Short mmCIF file of all heavy atoms in Angstrom, two decimals:
data_model
loop_
_atom_site.label_atom_id
_atom_site.label_comp_id
_atom_site.label_asym_id
_atom_site.label_seq_id
_atom_site.Cartn_x
_atom_site.Cartn_y
_atom_site.Cartn_z
N ASP D 232 -60.32 -65.56 26.65
CA ASP D 232 -59.54 -64.32 26.58
C ASP D 232 -60.44 -63.08 26.67
O ASP D 232 -60.03 -62.05 27.15
CB ASP D 232 -58.74 -64.28 25.27
CG ASP D 232 -57.54 -65.21 25.36
OD1 ASP D 232 -57.18 -65.58 26.49
OD2 ASP D 232 -57.01 -65.57 24.31
N GLU D 233 -61.68 -63.24 26.19
CA GLU D 233 -62.58 -62.10 26.23
C GLU D 233 -62.94 -61.72 27.66
O GLU D 233 -63.33 -60.59 27.93
CB GLU D 233 -63.88 -62.40 25.45
CG GLU D 233 -63.71 -62.44 23.96
CD GLU D 233 -62.97 -63.66 23.47
OE1 GLU D 233 -63.13 -64.72 24.12
OE2 GLU D 233 -62.22 -63.59 22.49
N ASP D 234 -62.83 -62.69 28.55
CA ASP D 234 -63.16 -62.40 29.95
C ASP D 234 -62.10 -61.54 30.61
O ASP D 234 -62.38 -60.82 31.55
CB ASP D 234 -63.29 -63.71 30.74
CG ASP D 234 -64.53 -64.48 30.34
OD1 ASP D 234 -65.50 -63.85 29.91
OD2 ASP D 234 -64.48 -65.72 30.44
N LYS D 235 -60.89 -61.67 30.19
CA LYS D 235 -59.79 -60.98 30.87
C LYS D 235 -59.71 -59.55 30.35
O LYS D 235 -59.23 -59.32 29.23
CB LYS D 235 -58.48 -61.73 30.63
CG LYS D 235 -58.48 -63.07 31.35
CD LYS D 235 -57.19 -63.82 31.16
CE LYS D 235 -57.19 -64.54 29.82
NZ LYS D 235 -56.05 -65.45 29.68
N LYS D 236 -60.18 -58.65 31.14
CA LYS D 236 -60.20 -57.27 30.67
C LYS D 236 -60.05 -56.29 31.83
O LYS D 236 -60.22 -56.65 33.00
CB LYS D 236 -61.50 -56.99 29.92
CG LYS D 236 -62.74 -57.17 30.79
CD LYS D 236 -63.99 -56.93 29.96
CE LYS D 236 -65.24 -57.13 30.78
NZ LYS D 236 -66.46 -56.99 29.98
N LEU D 237 -59.73 -55.08 31.48
CA LEU D 237 -59.58 -54.02 32.46
C LEU D 237 -60.91 -53.31 32.66
O LEU D 237 -61.65 -53.10 31.69
CB LEU D 237 -58.52 -53.01 31.98
CG LEU D 237 -57.14 -53.58 31.78
CD1 LEU D 237 -56.26 -52.59 31.01
CD2 LEU D 237 -56.50 -53.93 33.11
N VAL D 238 -61.18 -52.96 33.90
CA VAL D 238 -62.45 -52.30 34.19
C VAL D 238 -62.23 -51.17 35.19
O VAL D 238 -61.25 -51.16 35.93
CB VAL D 238 -63.49 -53.29 34.78
CG1 VAL D 238 -63.91 -54.33 33.76
CG2 VAL D 238 -62.94 -53.95 36.04
N VAL D 239 -63.15 -50.21 35.18
CA VAL D 239 -63.21 -49.17 36.21
C VAL D 239 -64.51 -49.38 36.95
O VAL D 239 -65.58 -49.47 36.32
CB VAL D 239 -63.17 -47.76 35.59
CG1 VAL D 239 -63.54 -46.70 36.63
CG2 VAL D 239 -61.79 -47.48 35.01
N VAL D 240 -64.44 -49.51 38.25
CA VAL D 240 -65.65 -49.76 39.04
C VAL D 240 -65.68 -48.86 40.27
O VAL D 240 -64.65 -48.56 40.85
CB VAL D 240 -65.77 -51.23 39.48
CG1 VAL D 240 -66.15 -52.12 38.33
CG2 VAL D 240 -64.47 -51.72 40.11
N LYS D 241 -66.87 -48.49 40.65
CA LYS D 241 -67.06 -47.70 41.87
C LYS D 241 -67.52 -48.64 42.99
O LYS D 241 -68.18 -49.65 42.73
CB LYS D 241 -68.16 -46.64 41.66
CG LYS D 241 -67.87 -45.66 40.57
CD LYS D 241 -68.87 -44.52 40.60
CE LYS D 241 -70.02 -44.73 39.66
NZ LYS D 241 -70.86 -43.52 39.48
N SER D 242 -67.19 -48.25 44.22
CA SER D 242 -67.75 -49.03 45.34
C SER D 242 -68.10 -48.05 46.45
O SER D 242 -67.36 -47.11 46.73
CB SER D 242 -66.73 -50.06 45.84
OG SER D 242 -65.60 -49.45 46.40
N PRO D 243 -69.24 -48.28 47.11
CA PRO D 243 -69.64 -47.36 48.17
C PRO D 243 -68.99 -47.71 49.50
O PRO D 243 -68.60 -48.85 49.76
CB PRO D 243 -71.16 -47.63 48.26
CG PRO D 243 -71.29 -49.07 47.87
CD PRO D 243 -70.20 -49.32 46.85
N ASN D 244 -68.83 -46.70 50.32
CA ASN D 244 -68.35 -46.87 51.70
C ASN D 244 -67.03 -47.65 51.74
O ASN D 244 -66.04 -47.18 51.20
CB ASN D 244 -69.44 -47.52 52.55
CG ASN D 244 -70.71 -46.67 52.53
OD1 ASN D 244 -70.63 -45.45 52.65
ND2 ASN D 244 -71.85 -47.30 52.33
N ALA D 245 -67.03 -48.82 52.36
CA ALA D 245 -65.77 -49.56 52.50
C ALA D 245 -65.62 -50.69 51.49
O ALA D 245 -64.58 -51.34 51.44
CB ALA D 245 -65.70 -50.16 53.90
N VAL D 246 -66.61 -50.91 50.68
CA VAL D 246 -66.62 -52.08 49.78
C VAL D 246 -65.41 -52.03 48.85
O VAL D 246 -65.03 -50.97 48.34
CB VAL D 246 -67.91 -52.12 48.97
CG1 VAL D 246 -67.85 -53.16 47.86
CG2 VAL D 246 -69.09 -52.39 49.90
N ASN D 247 -64.83 -53.19 48.63
CA ASN D 247 -63.70 -53.28 47.69
C ASN D 247 -63.82 -54.55 46.84
O ASN D 247 -64.64 -55.42 47.13
CB ASN D 247 -62.36 -53.21 48.43
CG ASN D 247 -62.11 -54.43 49.31
OD1 ASN D 247 -62.45 -55.55 48.92
ND2 ASN D 247 -61.53 -54.21 50.47
N PRO D 248 -63.03 -54.63 45.78
CA PRO D 248 -63.19 -55.76 44.84
C PRO D 248 -62.83 -57.12 45.39
O PRO D 248 -63.12 -58.13 44.74
CB PRO D 248 -62.22 -55.39 43.69
CG PRO D 248 -62.04 -53.93 43.79
CD PRO D 248 -62.10 -53.62 45.27
N LEU D 249 -62.24 -57.21 46.57
CA LEU D 249 -61.91 -58.53 47.12
C LEU D 249 -63.17 -59.39 47.24
O LEU D 249 -63.11 -60.61 47.10
CB LEU D 249 -61.25 -58.41 48.49
CG LEU D 249 -59.91 -57.71 48.59
CD1 LEU D 249 -59.37 -57.83 50.01
CD2 LEU D 249 -58.92 -58.27 47.59
N ILE D 250 -64.28 -58.75 47.51
CA ILE D 250 -65.50 -59.52 47.79
C ILE D 250 -66.15 -60.03 46.51
O ILE D 250 -67.07 -60.85 46.57
CB ILE D 250 -66.52 -58.67 48.56
CG1 ILE D 250 -66.93 -57.46 47.73
CG2 ILE D 250 -65.96 -58.24 49.91
CD1 ILE D 250 -68.12 -56.70 48.32
N TRP D 251 -65.74 -59.49 45.37
CA TRP D 251 -66.38 -59.91 44.13
C TRP D 251 -65.76 -61.14 43.52
O TRP D 251 -66.37 -61.80 42.69
CB TRP D 251 -66.34 -58.76 43.09
CG TRP D 251 -67.05 -57.53 43.56
CD1 TRP D 251 -68.17 -57.48 44.34
CD2 TRP D 251 -66.70 -56.17 43.29
NE1 TRP D 251 -68.54 -56.19 44.58
CE2 TRP D 251 -67.66 -55.35 43.94
CE3 TRP D 251 -65.67 -55.55 42.57
CZ2 TRP D 251 -67.60 -53.97 43.89
CZ3 TRP D 251 -65.63 -54.20 42.51
CH2 TRP D 251 -66.59 -53.40 43.15
N GLY D 252 -64.52 -61.43 43.90
CA GLY D 252 -63.84 -62.58 43.32
C GLY D 252 -63.45 -62.34 41.88
O GLY D 252 -64.16 -61.67 41.12
N TYR D 253 -62.30 -62.82 41.52
CA TYR D 253 -61.79 -62.69 40.15
C TYR D 253 -61.61 -61.26 39.70
O TYR D 253 -61.62 -60.96 38.52
CB TYR D 253 -62.66 -63.48 39.16
CG TYR D 253 -62.76 -64.93 39.58
CD1 TYR D 253 -63.94 -65.45 40.09
CD2 TYR D 253 -61.65 -65.75 39.51
CE1 TYR D 253 -64.01 -66.76 40.50
CE2 TYR D 253 -61.70 -67.06 39.93
CZ TYR D 253 -62.90 -67.57 40.42
OH TYR D 253 -62.96 -68.86 40.86
N TYR D 254 -61.55 -60.33 40.64
CA TYR D 254 -61.14 -58.96 40.32
C TYR D 254 -59.78 -58.75 40.97
O TYR D 254 -59.59 -59.08 42.15
CB TYR D 254 -62.12 -57.94 40.93
CG TYR D 254 -63.34 -57.66 40.11
CD1 TYR D 254 -64.37 -58.60 40.04
CD2 TYR D 254 -63.48 -56.46 39.44
CE1 TYR D 254 -65.51 -58.33 39.30
CE2 TYR D 254 -64.62 -56.20 38.70
CZ TYR D 254 -65.64 -57.13 38.63
OH TYR D 254 -66.75 -56.87 37.91
N TYR D 255 -58.89 -58.17 40.23
CA TYR D 255 -57.55 -57.90 40.73
C TYR D 255 -57.33 -56.38 40.73
O TYR D 255 -57.08 -55.80 39.67
CB TYR D 255 -56.48 -58.59 39.88
CG TYR D 255 -56.68 -60.10 39.87
CD1 TYR D 255 -57.61 -60.68 39.02
CD2 TYR D 255 -55.98 -60.90 40.76
CE1 TYR D 255 -57.85 -62.04 39.04
CE2 TYR D 255 -56.20 -62.26 40.76
CZ TYR D 255 -57.13 -62.82 39.92
OH TYR D 255 -57.34 -64.18 39.94
N PRO D 256 -57.44 -55.74 41.87
CA PRO D 256 -57.30 -54.28 41.90
C PRO D 256 -55.90 -53.86 41.50
O PRO D 256 -54.91 -54.44 41.94
CB PRO D 256 -57.56 -53.94 43.37
CG PRO D 256 -58.21 -55.13 43.97
CD PRO D 256 -57.72 -56.30 43.19
N LEU D 257 -55.86 -52.82 40.66
CA LEU D 257 -54.56 -52.30 40.22
C LEU D 257 -54.31 -50.90 40.78
O LEU D 257 -53.17 -50.50 40.97
CB LEU D 257 -54.52 -52.24 38.68
CG LEU D 257 -54.85 -53.54 37.93
CD1 LEU D 257 -54.83 -53.29 36.42
CD2 LEU D 257 -53.88 -54.64 38.30
N LEU D 258 -55.37 -50.16 40.99
CA LEU D 258 -55.27 -48.76 41.42
C LEU D 258 -56.56 -48.37 42.11
O LEU D 258 -57.64 -48.83 41.73
CB LEU D 258 -55.03 -47.85 40.21
CG LEU D 258 -55.05 -46.35 40.43
CD1 LEU D 258 -53.84 -45.91 41.24
CD2 LEU D 258 -55.09 -45.61 39.09
N THR D 259 -56.45 -47.51 43.11
CA THR D 259 -57.68 -47.00 43.72
C THR D 259 -57.49 -45.54 44.12
O THR D 259 -56.36 -45.07 44.33
CB THR D 259 -58.10 -47.80 44.94
OG1 THR D 259 -59.44 -47.44 45.32
CG2 THR D 259 -57.19 -47.57 46.14
N ILE D 260 -58.61 -44.83 44.20
CA ILE D 260 -58.59 -43.48 44.76
C ILE D 260 -59.67 -43.43 45.84
O ILE D 260 -60.79 -43.94 45.66
CB ILE D 260 -58.84 -42.40 43.67
CG1 ILE D 260 -58.78 -41.00 44.32
CG2 ILE D 260 -60.16 -42.62 42.96
CD1 ILE D 260 -58.76 -39.88 43.28
N ASP D 261 -59.29 -42.86 46.95
CA ASP D 261 -60.18 -42.69 48.10
C ASP D 261 -60.99 -41.42 47.84
O ASP D 261 -60.42 -40.32 47.70
CB ASP D 261 -59.32 -42.53 49.37
CG ASP D 261 -60.15 -42.45 50.64
OD1 ASP D 261 -61.37 -42.18 50.55
OD2 ASP D 261 -59.57 -42.63 51.72
N ILE D 262 -62.31 -41.56 47.76
CA ILE D 262 -63.11 -40.36 47.54
C ILE D 262 -64.03 -40.08 48.73
O ILE D 262 -65.09 -39.44 48.58
CB ILE D 262 -63.91 -40.42 46.22
CG1 ILE D 262 -64.56 -41.79 46.03
CG2 ILE D 262 -63.02 -40.10 45.05
CD1 ILE D 262 -65.36 -41.91 44.78
N TRP D 263 -63.62 -40.54 49.90
CA TRP D 263 -64.22 -40.02 51.12
C TRP D 263 -63.76 -38.57 51.27
O TRP D 263 -62.62 -38.24 50.92
CB TRP D 263 -63.77 -40.83 52.32
CG TRP D 263 -64.37 -42.21 52.45
CD1 TRP D 263 -64.31 -43.21 51.53
CD2 TRP D 263 -65.08 -42.73 53.57
NE1 TRP D 263 -64.95 -44.32 51.99
CE2 TRP D 263 -65.43 -44.06 53.26
CE3 TRP D 263 -65.45 -42.21 54.81
CZ2 TRP D 263 -66.13 -44.87 54.14
CZ3 TRP D 263 -66.15 -43.01 55.69
CH2 TRP D 263 -66.50 -44.33 55.34
N GLU D 264 -64.59 -37.74 51.82
CA GLU D 264 -64.19 -36.32 51.96
C GLU D 264 -62.94 -36.15 52.80
O GLU D 264 -62.15 -35.22 52.60
CB GLU D 264 -65.34 -35.51 52.57
CG GLU D 264 -66.41 -35.15 51.54
CD GLU D 264 -67.39 -34.12 52.08
OE1 GLU D 264 -67.38 -33.86 53.29
OE2 GLU D 264 -68.15 -33.57 51.27
N HIS D 265 -62.73 -37.06 53.78
CA HIS D 265 -61.53 -36.89 54.61
C HIS D 265 -60.24 -37.01 53.81
O HIS D 265 -59.18 -36.66 54.28
CB HIS D 265 -61.54 -37.88 55.80
CG HIS D 265 -61.42 -39.35 55.43
ND1 HIS D 265 -62.14 -40.33 56.04
CD2 HIS D 265 -60.65 -39.99 54.54
CE1 HIS D 265 -61.84 -41.51 55.55
NE2 HIS D 265 -60.91 -41.32 54.63
N ALA D 266 -60.34 -37.53 52.59
CA ALA D 266 -59.14 -37.68 51.76
C ALA D 266 -58.70 -36.38 51.12
O ALA D 266 -57.53 -36.21 50.77
CB ALA D 266 -59.39 -38.73 50.66
N TYR D 267 -59.64 -35.44 50.95
CA TYR D 267 -59.28 -34.25 50.16
C TYR D 267 -59.77 -32.93 50.73
O TYR D 267 -59.43 -31.86 50.22
CB TYR D 267 -59.79 -34.41 48.72
CG TYR D 267 -61.29 -34.57 48.59
CD1 TYR D 267 -62.12 -33.47 48.50
CD2 TYR D 267 -61.87 -35.84 48.52
CE1 TYR D 267 -63.50 -33.61 48.37
CE2 TYR D 267 -63.23 -35.99 48.37
CZ TYR D 267 -64.05 -34.88 48.30
OH TYR D 267 -65.39 -35.04 48.16
N TYR D 268 -60.58 -32.95 51.78
CA TYR D 268 -61.27 -31.72 52.17
C TYR D 268 -60.32 -30.63 52.67
O TYR D 268 -60.49 -29.46 52.42
CB TYR D 268 -62.37 -31.99 53.20
CG TYR D 268 -63.48 -30.99 53.08
CD1 TYR D 268 -64.48 -31.17 52.12
CD2 TYR D 268 -63.51 -29.83 53.85
CE1 TYR D 268 -65.50 -30.24 51.96
CE2 TYR D 268 -64.53 -28.89 53.69
CZ TYR D 268 -65.51 -29.10 52.75
OH TYR D 268 -66.51 -28.17 52.58
N ILE D 269 -59.26 -31.03 53.39
CA ILE D 269 -58.32 -30.02 53.90
C ILE D 269 -57.63 -29.31 52.75
O ILE D 269 -57.43 -28.09 52.79
CB ILE D 269 -57.27 -30.70 54.82
CG1 ILE D 269 -57.96 -31.16 56.13
CG2 ILE D 269 -56.12 -29.74 55.14
CD1 ILE D 269 -57.05 -31.98 57.05
N ASP D 270 -57.29 -30.04 51.72
CA ASP D 270 -56.51 -29.46 50.61
C ASP D 270 -57.38 -28.92 49.49
O ASP D 270 -56.99 -27.98 48.78
CB ASP D 270 -55.57 -30.52 50.03
CG ASP D 270 -54.58 -30.99 51.08
OD1 ASP D 270 -54.05 -30.15 51.83
OD2 ASP D 270 -54.32 -32.21 51.14
N PHE D 271 -58.53 -29.49 49.30
CA PHE D 271 -59.34 -29.10 48.13
C PHE D 271 -60.76 -28.66 48.49
O PHE D 271 -61.54 -28.31 47.60
CB PHE D 271 -59.42 -30.26 47.13
CG PHE D 271 -58.12 -30.63 46.51
CD1 PHE D 271 -57.29 -31.58 47.10
CD2 PHE D 271 -57.70 -30.03 45.33
CE1 PHE D 271 -56.07 -31.92 46.52
CE2 PHE D 271 -56.48 -30.36 44.74
CZ PHE D 271 -55.66 -31.31 45.34
N GLN D 272 -61.09 -28.71 49.78
CA GLN D 272 -62.47 -28.40 50.24
C GLN D 272 -63.48 -29.23 49.42
O GLN D 272 -63.31 -30.42 49.34
CB GLN D 272 -62.77 -26.89 50.13
CG GLN D 272 -61.95 -26.06 51.13
CD GLN D 272 -60.52 -25.85 50.67
OE1 GLN D 272 -60.30 -25.42 49.55
NE2 GLN D 272 -59.57 -26.16 51.54
N ASN D 273 -64.44 -28.57 48.78
CA ASN D 273 -65.45 -29.35 48.05
C ASN D 273 -65.09 -29.59 46.59
O ASN D 273 -65.91 -30.10 45.83
CB ASN D 273 -66.81 -28.63 48.14
CG ASN D 273 -66.76 -27.28 47.41
OD1 ASN D 273 -65.69 -26.67 47.28
ND2 ASN D 273 -67.90 -26.80 46.96
#
Side-chain angles (χ1 to χ4, degrees):
D232 285 343
E233 288 73 32
D234 289 331
K235 292 181 279 190
K236 60 183 179 184
L237 299 168
V238 293
V239 168
V240 286
K241 300 190 265 192
S242 67
N244 302 316
V246 170
N247 67 39
L249 296 186
I250 62 170
W251 299 326
Y253 304 109
Y254 276 74
Y255 300 82
L257 307 177
L258 173 69
T259 192
I260 182 170
D261 185 343
I262 44 179
W263 286 57
E264 281 192 348
H265 66 221
Y267 60 87
Y268 210 82
I269 291 174
D270 299 318
F271 295 90
Q272 292 78 52
N273 64 335

